[in-house]
Amino acid sequence: MPAPTRSQEAHDTAQALREHPGEWAHIEDLGNLNRATNLAYRIRTGRHGAFRPAGTFDATARLNDDGTASVYACYVGTNNNPQQ
């Protein structure tokens, strides 16, 4: 069986987060804070296809002691209550 693609891994991760709303999970380690911040932004805004629709996930980047950075994400869902 072939190894899963990065795209499939992202979809699997997003699905796992949907099954555990409100729980933060480590997504990926990247070489620097700029790259991690960019990925967190793409997750929050739905520009990363696995994490659509926009606004259903929160994400953040954290700088590590060695200069790399980690991305964490959380499924926050959508507000389906039309009475606001």
Side-chain angles (χ1 to χ4, degrees), residues 12-82:
D12 292 347
T13 299
Q15 183 57 41
L17 288 172
R18 285 184 188 94
E19 293 169 3
H20 298 92
E23 292 184 24
W24 287 85
H26 177 261
I27 302 300
E28 188 170 355
D29 290 319
L30 294 166
N32 60 56
L33 186 58
N34 185 52
R35 291 182 64 207
T37 301
N38 181 273
L39 176 57
Y41 170 80
R42 291 177 56 233
I43 290 171
R44 284 192 311 274
T45 59
R47 292 175 192 254
H48 190 302
F51 297 92
R52 289 184 182 150
T56 57
F57 290 87
D58 194 5
T60 189
R62 298 280 183 249
L63 185 62
N64 299 319
D65 290 338
D66 64 358
T68 64
S70 298
V71 178
Y72 297 88
C74 172
Y75 178 71
V76 296
T78 58
N79 183 358
N80 294 322
N81 183 0

